[in-house]
Amino acid sequence: MRVPVSWIREHADLPESATSEELAARLTALGLKLEALERPAEAITGPLVVGRVLTMEPEPQKNGKTINWCTVDVGDANGTGEPQGIVCGAHNFAPGDLVVVILPGGVLPGNFAISARKTYGHVSAGMICSGAELGLSAESDGIVVLPADAGEPGDDAIGVLGLDDDVIEMEINPDRAYALSVRGVARDAALAYDAPFRDPCERDVPPADDAGWPVRIEDPAGCPVFVARLVSGLDATATTPEFIARRLTQAGMRPISLAVDVTNYVMLETGRPIHGYDADKLTGTVGVRRAGAGERLTTLDGTRRILSPEDLVVVDDSGLIGLGGVMGGEDTEMSATTTRVLVESAHWDPVSMFRTGRRHKITSEAGKRNERGVDPTICEAAADRVVELLVTYGGATAEPGVTVVGTPPAREPITMAADLPARVSGIDIPADRAVQVLRDQGFAVDAEGADVVAVPPQWRPDVTDPFDLVEEVVRVVGYDAVPSVLPTPGAGRGLTRAQRLRRRVGRTLAGAGAVEVVSFPFVGDASLDALGLDADDERRRTIRLANPLSAQEPAYTTTLLPGLLRAAARNLGRGATGVTLFETGSVVRGGSSPTPILGVESRPSELELKELLAGVPDQPLHLGLVLAGERERAGWWGEGASPQGWAGWADALALVRRLGDELGVPLSTRAAVRAPWHPGRCAEVLAGEGESAVVLGHAGELHPRVCDAHDLPRRSAAVELDLDALLALAPDRVAGPELSSFPMAKEDVALLVDVSVTAAEVEAALREGAGELLESVRLFDVYTGAQVPEGKKSLAFALRFRAPDRTLTEAETGAARDAAVAAAAERCGAVQR
Amino acid sequence: MSGPNSQFDPVEVAVLQPEAVDAAREAALAAIEAAGDPEELKAVRTAHAGDRSPLALANREIGALPPQARKEAGQRVGKARGAVEQALGRRAAVLEAEHEERMLATETVDVTLPTDRQPAGARHPLTTGAELIADIFVAMGWEVAEGPVIEAEWLNFDALNLGPDHPARTMQDTFWTEPASDHLVLRTQTSPVQARTMLSRTPPIYVVSPGRVFRTDEYDATHSPVFHQVEGLAIDRGISMAHLKGTLDHFATAMFGEGITTRFRPSYFPFTEPSAEVDLVCFVCRGSGTDPERGGSVVCRTCKGEGWIEWGGCGVVNPRVLRACGVDDTEFTGFAFGMGIDRSLMFRHGISDMRDLFEGDVRFATTFGSEL
Ligand SMILES: [Zn+2]
């Protein structure tokens, strides 16, 4: 909402000393938040004066343009009283017109300094200004031609143009719809300065009678009040008076024609949207009803609209003539030849307005006010004000007859404990102060014992609850008065175990050289195709958005990998030689199902809540990792530690196992085939053993086609785990170990097995065979080559034995080793080398 | 070697003459001092302290002296041998130290060599920032609550006093999921976590909920359709706006430094009544509105001369919300607040482009390390 300060002052007797900044600050403190304070005069240095064009000689130029060589009477402003010679490129004026002249020495907005200069063979001593040059409008429609009564040559034009009138632009919250009017803003301004307020809607209006235009309201709930007034004999050539045009412009609206401008002006002044019909285009009784399904109406923006049975429409005997309260129809629109105007000033149901506006995607100044709620008692006053202005400035005649259908609904009283404002705000606000503050704002207040009963004024439809009253009291007492007191909660339980473990995961990975990223969780088919997912892969079950930002990525993701792979490629593209990235984020699993819309009067039943929560999709927290390019750097120490010097499947698995160690969850791996991984280099990551083993996710080398599709080097690796599932397995409390201090016995064995036998299988066999004296077993070498038959490989294991209560004899250790090897032989076909 | 001699005249045993003993001692000490390395010292030890050294030989002759002369001669020789042993020990220590020093000197390395074999990792400042905030509140006895990002419409809107026709629903440009009949949204705020908390716990409740939220904003230097928010909810007996102010003042100071306090301005949020926007004292100009570096009349760029920076929204929990979530609004009141984590971090660390948070460029996160 943009309001010129002069308009506020017209209705609130603010002290002369009140500056625009201070006024804006006080309004902000009351909840009308300052967006911008425009001080147009600040950007202009005079002399900027009114001038009368005496002569103008068109002079065609070689460049094809025609300039006007003018003499302009600027009174004594130039110090000589002689006419000023000025070259002007515009043509929208004539001798005798009053124009705005900036004389040499003046400065226009944008630090545009004016001096006398030679141009087109003349000395141009100043400039005739356009609206754009003065900062009055965005585009220039030629120079400003002032109304004939605007002033005398030589007068300071700053005041004539209203440039000395600051404009306050405010952000109006939905609960303060009253402030979408000068009436409302001025009322709060008066409140802020404890100054007298003059209500523009307090006026004597002619009483309703039966002589007015016939109106029939079929839906009084949708349109509780409808006022109609008729004027005739409007001078179609009458122009909008300068003050109305200026204020509309200051408020951000475009002057169009007298009749339209007057309705807009009254809307800005009172907050009540007004619609004017060309009465000569109306047929018979005007009515209000709901639209029939499929009814059509072309609104005055030229759009043909198909209506819903919920839309409120205005009709006459010919059919639809407007979308009530939102936008008028094209057929009955006022035009340049309109002489009879039917003024409609009606109150509309805000919910209907909101729905119709949303349904038809119409945002209009009228709709904005009607859907937030307008004072229903000012319909007659607003209509009368329109009539008055059309009579005064348009030479029209007010026709007798005042149609008023319906009465404004009464406001319900609100009962509030008198000490509630004090209790809720923490400020010491005595009950009588609270009562007074409410009365100052137009509430009708009675004190009843410990309670206060307040009837809100009609311009405050938003105030319905005791806590609403509290805000109205506290905003006037001042939010600055709220003291600062720390509450004293009881002992807290700290972070949950899952929250602590998540931090641990991040620190572990960062400690291992991985960098965390945060990506947008949106995917599209292309990103899933790039991962090589099958058509029936469960990760295709994304949740689609109705209104995605990008048509390419219209769904909530089921996997973190697309974002990670993209981030890795971006880093490599920006010159990184290698990256290890990780991300934790929620993904969706299993698609979605409906959730109910429950009541809000009280807590839903357990059954309702269960249904509600069950409908919300499963959104496990995932951990994703991608490793691309150099993992450990080569340097003066030699190569990086990765097998090929580049990140690969083993680095990915190392990070996974490291996490398992950090969380105390033993993890195992087994070969798996799953996109987007290399079919021979993908591991399923498992926790637990045998039947109860849980698959937590996958890790390994990415498929070469996936690397190519993402501009990543071949052999890049990735991990995706269900982090929630992993964290849930972290033991709550670990029993401390019994450490034996007896000596350890070492036995190394090298075993020949088929290449298809996995290290894990052999290790498991060794463990089982070795029995309980075995302390640890670790694979320390894998060998294939000249010494090993084709199709075989040699696995070398270090076995470590120790007893809790004695030093082991060589015979004991040897027996355990032999048993281990025997088990490997039996279960894996291993042969000791 | 000669046997005991009762006729012995002490003057005649030359090696036990004081002059001879002193000379042997001086010779030994000089040789010790002259030894240049442990090998030389070993030879000196043999020559001057070994079995066949002059002092050892003299020692043997003591028995040949008459009893009355033995004591004096014994003391003289013993003292001399002691002095030689001590000198040997001292010299050995010096020579060993010198030897070690030379050896270590040959092992000198260039300690300025890089050791960046494993590139540095880092956590994302949005994560560590959320943790920093959580820790501030946990230290006050609060707890951290979480919830899903794809949320039931009822929890994101209706339960929070945003009915289907509430104008505020259009204020928040919401991502809806398909089909519409599922009534699911990408949460526009972390407030549904507060609703879930109220529905699952009994007061007193003191929780913060950091998390990811979504609005259909354009993606530019100061907006993102995906961003992060922290909301707080306190429900207890006798809670007022004063407690809200106290909590936010503490939060601001802990997050941004001493002297950074807050200011309330009336505002509107369906979830709260009364509602306020909360501003922070500009921590660049500390409220003066002028640029502290350039001084005088130069307007502070961070707050555009206001002296204050918009931080978030807050207010007293609307009793309608309490009722919908099963909290007895005749017994309890509450306050709630919410602010952007992204925005707060941009303030705190002078980050000028919000997109840097979401690009995944490792140069960004590694700047912050793993703890803010
Ligand atoms: Zn500042």
Side-chain angles (χ1 to χ4, degrees):
Chain A
M1 179 73 184
R2 296 166 52 93
V3 188
V5 171
S6 68
W7 209 350
I8 297 173
R9 284 184 176 273
E10 196 173 304
H11 299 287
D13 285 340
L14 307 183
E16 279 303 317
S17 59
T19 63
S20 301
E21 286 90 344
E22 188 196 58
L23 172 59
R26 291 199 185 190
L27 289 172
T28 297
L30 283 175
L32 311 185
K33 188 192 161 198
L34 175 68
E35 278 282 287
L37 178 59
E38 282 177 22
R39 321 204 57 175
E42 265 187 355
I44 296 175
T45 311
L48 184 77
V49 298
V50 175
R52 187 181 305 281
V53 180
L54 300 174
T55 64
M56 58 189 288
E57 301 294 333
E59 295 183 356
Q61 301 295 316
K62 284 187 216 124
N63 62 8
K65 284 210 297 193
T66 300
I67 59 104
N68 289 302
W69 169 239
C70 309
T71 54
V72 185
D73 175 7
V74 293
D76 293 329
N78 56 5
T80 66
E82 295 297 315
Q84 199 81 355
I86 299 176
V87 170
C88 182
H91 301 277
N92 64 321
F93 62 105
D97 279 350
L98 286 182
V99 294
V100 179
V101 178
I102 183 120
L103 296 175
V107 180
L108 288 177
N111 243 338
F112 180 19
I114 305 300
S115 57
R117 62 193 182 99
K118 283 196 78 168
T119 178
Y120 296 114
H122 298 281
V123 174
S124 183
M127 196 170 93
I128 303 177
C129 302
S130 72
E133 284 155 353
L134 292 167
L136 290 172
S137 55
E139 305 153 50
S140 184
D141 306 331
I143 58 138
V144 173
V145 178
L146 296 169
D149 61 351
E152 294 299 321
D155 285 359
D156 186 353
I158 298 271
V160 171
L161 289 166
L163 290 170
D164 54 349
D165 192 4
D166 296 342
V167 176
I168 300 177
E169 180 174 357
M170 289 158 286
E171 182 190 323
I172 304 301
N173 282 318
D175 62 332
R176 304 208 172 274
Y178 68 87
L180 294 172
S181 69
V182 175
R183 181 192 190 215
V185 173
R187 191 193 306 278
D188 271 2
L191 191 66
Y193 284 91
D194 200 14
F197 167 68
R198 274 183 305 281
D199 188 346
C201 293
E202 225 173 82
R203 54 190 288 128
D204 289 330
V205 294
D209 56 30
D210 295 331
W213 196 282
V215 170
R216 190 172 63 241
I217 306 299
E218 287 179 25
D219 192 330
C223 180
V225 183
F226 193 109
V227 171
R229 294 282 299 275
L230 181 66
V231 299
S232 61
L234 178 69
D235 177 0
T237 65
T239 54
T240 301
E242 190 273 337
F243 80 96
I244 289 183
R246 170 154 46 88
R247 283 180 167 175
L248 288 179
T249 306
Q250 285 170 321
M253 297 182 84
R254 250 179 103 81
I256 294 165
S257 67
L258 175 65
V260 172
D261 294 347
V262 161
T263 58
N264 284 334
Y265 184 81
V266 173
M267 174 180 73
L268 291 173
E269 189 173 70
T270 65
R272 162 63 61 204
I274 306 281
H275 188 69
Y277 300 90
D278 186 332
D280 288 331
K281 297 175 184 167
L282 293 176
T283 323
T285 301
V286 168
V288 175
R289 61 169 169 83
R290 300 278 170 177
E295 267 192 303
R296 285 153 205 271
L297 170 70
T298 303
T299 44
L300 51 74
D301 58 357
T303 307
R304 191 163 165 75
R305 301 178 187 278
I306 299 165
L307 305 183
S308 141
E310 282 193 40
D311 292 328
L312 281 164
V313 290
V314 185
V315 298
D316 69 359
D317 291 353
S318 72
L320 271 55
I321 57 170
L323 206 44
V326 177
M327 195 175 273
E330 195 176 54
D331 293 347
T332 54
E333 190 182 357
M334 294 187 293
S335 70
T337 58
T338 300
T339 58
R340 289 173 77 229
V341 177
L342 183 72
V343 177
E344 169 210 295
S345 174
H347 185 67
W348 305 92
D349 168 43
V351 171
S352 285
M353 296 297 104
F354 175 75
R355 289 184 182 171
T356 294
R358 196 165 59 166
R359 186 177 304 120
H360 297 290
K361 298 189 170 58
I362 299 174
T363 46
S364 65
E365 291 292 327
K368 188 164 85 182
R369 287 168 176 79
N370 280 328
E371 75 184 28
R372 294 176 192 205
V374 184
D375 184 344
T377 63
I378 60 168
C379 293
E380 288 171 78
D384 193 56
R385 174 75 166 139
V386 171
V387 169
E388 177 198 356
L389 291 172
L390 290 177
V391 168
T392 307
Y393 298 102
T397 306
E399 293 291 329
V402 175
T403 306
V404 179
V405 179
T407 48
R411 290 303 312 263
E412 292 295 320
I414 304 166
T415 303
M416 170 185 80
D419 65 348
L420 192 67
R423 277 194 281 129
V424 169
S425 66
I427 309 170
D428 180 20
I429 305 173
D432 54 347
R433 168 99 165 108
V435 167
Q436 189 54 48
V437 167
L438 288 173
R439 283 186 180 142
D440 289 346
Q441 298 185 65
F443 289 77
V445 189
D446 282 318
E448 288 180 8
D451 287 339
V452 163
V453 178
V455 181
Q458 287 277 15
W459 58 85
R460 293 305 305 271
D462 58 294
V463 177
T464 56
D465 294 7
F467 276 59
D468 298 337
L469 294 177
V470 171
E471 180 171 283
E472 296 314 301
V473 172
V474 179
R475 76 176 181 124
V476 173
V477 171
Y479 274 30
D480 286 346
V482 174
S484 186
V485 179
L486 266 180
T488 50
R493 288 172 293 187
L495 296 177
T496 64
R497 182 161 173 76
Q499 286 161 351
R500 283 184 287 122
L501 290 176
R502 283 207 298 268
R503 294 182 175 195
R504 178 73 166 278
V505 167
R507 290 187 184 130
T508 299
L509 293 172
V515 178
E516 187 176 18
V517 300
V518 173
S519 318
F520 287 2
F522 303 126
V523 283
D525 288 340
S527 14
L528 300 176
D529 292 345
L531 294 182
L533 302 191
D534 286 342
D536 60 351
D537 192 296
E538 86 275 5
R539 286 168 290 175
R540 296 249 181 213
R541 288 189 73 188
T542 57
I543 291 188
R544 289 187 71 86
L545 301 179
N547 50 341
L549 279 182
S550 146
Q552 280 74 49
E553 297 184 330
Y556 199 92
T557 194
T558 51
T559 161
L560 299 177
L561 294 179
L564 275 167
L565 297 182
R566 215 167 12 215
R570 185 177 297 130
N571 277 287
L572 297 179
R574 289 178 180 179
T577 51
V579 284
T580 304
L581 303 180
F582 76 101
E583 177 165 20
T584 58
S586 66
V587 300
V588 290
R589 190 164 59 191
S592 67
S593 51
T595 61
I597 298 295
L598 306 174
V600 293
E601 293 311 314
S602 63
R603 186 181 204 275
S605 71
E606 290 306 322
L607 201 66
E608 286 173 324
L609 274 179
K610 211 174 141 192
E611 189 193 350
L612 180 81
L613 298 179
V616 175
D618 192 12
Q619 296 163 61
L621 191 70
H622 272 203
L623 168 68
L625 267 158
V626 57
L627 304 91
E630 214 175 46
R631 164 79 175 127
E632 282 197 349
R633 295 195 184 110
W636 56 267
W637 51 77
E639 289 302 305
S642 314
Q644 325 87 329
W646 287 63
W649 64 272
D651 299 292
L653 281 170
L655 287 173
V656 169
R657 290 181 175 132
R658 174 84 171 271
L659 269 187
D661 293 343
E662 288 276 347
L663 298 170
V665 181
L667 297 178
S668 58
T669 49
R670 69 178 175 221
V673 175
R674 182 176 170 89
W677 285 276
H678 184 308
R681 296 183 168 196
C682 172
E684 209 167 43
V685 178
L686 302 116
E689 295 194 1
E691 296 288 293
S692 64
V694 190
V695 178
L696 296 173
H698 296 79
E701 181 177 309
L702 288 167
H703 196 291
R705 281 205 303 273
V706 173
C707 294
D708 294 350
H710 291 89
D711 282 331
L712 290 174
R714 298 262 177 115
R715 309 290 181 211
S716 293
V719 177
E720 185 157 22
L721 300 178
D722 183 335
L723 192 57
D724 280 341
L726 172 60
L727 297 183
L729 294 169
D732 225 8
R733 188 179 303 176
V734 175
E738 297 272 358
L739 299 181
S740 164
S741 53
F742 287 93
M744 179 180 73
K746 305 177 183 178
E747 293 281 347
D748 290 349
V749 296
L751 301 172
L752 271 183
V753 292
D754 285 347
V755 287
S756 62
V757 175
T758 66
E761 288 170 299
V762 180
E763 186 189 311
L766 288 172
R767 270 185 198 285
E768 192 160 305
E772 60 184 13
L773 293 178
L774 183 75
E775 183 173 270
S776 71
V777 53
R778 179 171 180 270
L779 176 101
F780 66 91
D781 195 23
V782 181
Y783 179 76
T784 53
Q787 314 295 316
V788 170
E790 185 74 17
K792 300 277 182 185
K793 63 184 172 187
S794 168
L795 304 178
F797 290 92
L799 307 177
R800 298 292 178 258
F801 297 95
R802 194 177 340 233
D805 54 352
R806 65 189 189 279
T807 301
L808 292 174
T809 64
E810 266 181 49
E812 282 178 304
T813 315
R817 177 204 59 213
D818 292 345
V821 171
E826 188 198 330
R827 284 170 46 178
C828 310
V831 176
Q832 189 168 9
R833 287 176 76 199
Chain B
M1 193 181 288
S2 35
N5 184 353
S6 52
Q7 315 300 302
F8 185 77
D9 177 355
V11 180
E12 288 173 29
V13 182
V15 294
L16 286 172
Q17 291 296 324
E19 297 75 20
V21 171
D22 287 351
R25 188 178 78 164
E26 291 312 315
L29 294 180
I32 289 166
E33 211 45 50
D37 62 41
E39 281 306 308
E40 280 181 42
L41 190 65
K42 203 176 163 193
V44 170
R45 176 185 289 278
T46 309
H48 293 279
D51 288 348
R52 306 203 58 80
S53 64
L55 286 173
L57 294 174
N59 197 46
R60 271 184 232 160
E61 294 304 328
I62 291 171
L65 292 180
Q68 66 274 23
R70 280 181 202 164
K71 188 177 176 198
E72 192 193 339
Q75 280 180 348
R76 184 179 306 129
V77 174
K79 259 181 158 173
R81 294 183 84 190
V84 169
E85 278 304 326
Q86 266 188 10
L88 276 169
R90 274 199 306 272
R91 187 63 189 157
V94 168
L95 290 176
E96 261 166 49
E98 280 174 8
H99 173 75
E100 187 182 58
E101 197 179 328
R102 274 195 304 277
M103 193 189 72
L104 292 180
T106 65
E107 292 178 7
T108 300
V109 297
D110 178 358
V111 296
T112 68
L113 283 175
T115 55
D116 54 349
R117 185 179 188 128
Q118 181 184 285
R123 293 198 297 154
H124 198 281
L126 280 171
T127 306
T128 48
E131 290 175 5
L132 172 72
I133 293 167
D135 288 346
I136 291 169
F137 282 92
V138 167
M140 291 193 284
W142 293 50
E143 292 173 17
V144 179
E146 290 152 331
V149 296
I150 302 178
E151 185 57 285
E153 179 182 357
W154 187 82
L155 284 163
N156 192 73
F157 288 127
D158 302 70
L160 304 174
N161 194 34
L162 279 129
D165 294 312
H166 204 291
R169 278 204 184 187
T170 57
M171 283 164 60
Q172 313 181 331
D173 310 297
T174 309
F175 285 110
W176 297 85
T177 74
E178 285 183 341
S181 55
D182 280 356
H183 297 295
L184 291 171
V185 298
L186 303 194
R187 67 181 181 192
T188 56
Q189 51 203 1
T190 52
S191 317
V193 179
Q194 304 185 20
R196 284 171 175 265
T197 305
M198 285 186 271
L199 286 163
S200 62
R201 294 195 195 182
T202 48
I205 291 170
Y206 290 86
V207 293
V208 279
S209 40
R212 177 178 275 204
V213 298
F214 301 82
R215 310 250 173 108
T216 58
D217 273 336
E218 286 302 315
Y219 186 41
D220 61 30
T222 53
H223 297 86
S224 168
V226 180
F227 58 104
H228 299 77
Q229 216 184 29
V230 59
E231 294 199 10
L233 172 74
I235 307 227
D236 208 338
R237 292 174 186 86
I239 284 289
S240 77
M241 287 175 85
H243 298 119
L244 170 59
K245 178 93 164 86
T247 302
L248 291 179
D249 279 342
H250 175 78
F251 181 16
T253 305
M255 183 92 182
F256 299 104
E258 278 306 317
I260 304 301
T261 51
T262 64
R263 171 180 83 172
F264 285 174
R265 282 182 288 109
S267 190
Y268 171 76
F269 307 104
F271 185 77
T272 50
E273 187 76 34
S275 300
E277 280 191 61
V278 53
D279 296 340
L280 280 177
V281 165
C282 173
F283 39 79
V284 173
C285 66
R286 303 196 84 80
S288 73
T290 56
D291 192 315
E293 309 253 296
R294 294 184 290 169
S297 58
V298 182
V299 168
C300 171
R301 274 167 301 180
T302 304
C303 63
K304 298 185 182 69
E306 303 256 327
W308 296 89
I309 292 169
E310 285 181 35
W311 193 24
C314 62
V316 174
V317 179
N318 195 315
R320 289 173 184 257
V321 174
L322 296 180
R323 289 196 291 273
C325 295
V327 174
D328 183 350
D329 68 307
T330 62
E331 187 178 357
F332 294 100
T333 49
F335 69 73
F337 59 84
M339 40 276 299
I341 298 177
D342 322 60
R343 200 171 140 74
S344 297
L345 291 178
M346 288 172 78
F347 292 155
R348 193 173 187 265
H349 299 277
I351 300 163
S352 57
D353 194 326
M354 194 168 184
R355 288 169 293 200
D356 288 341
L357 292 166
F358 303 107
E359 296 276 289
D361 192 317
V362 295
R363 293 171 299 169
F364 183 73
T366 48
T367 307
F368 298 91
S370 275
E371 197 79 51
L372 284 186

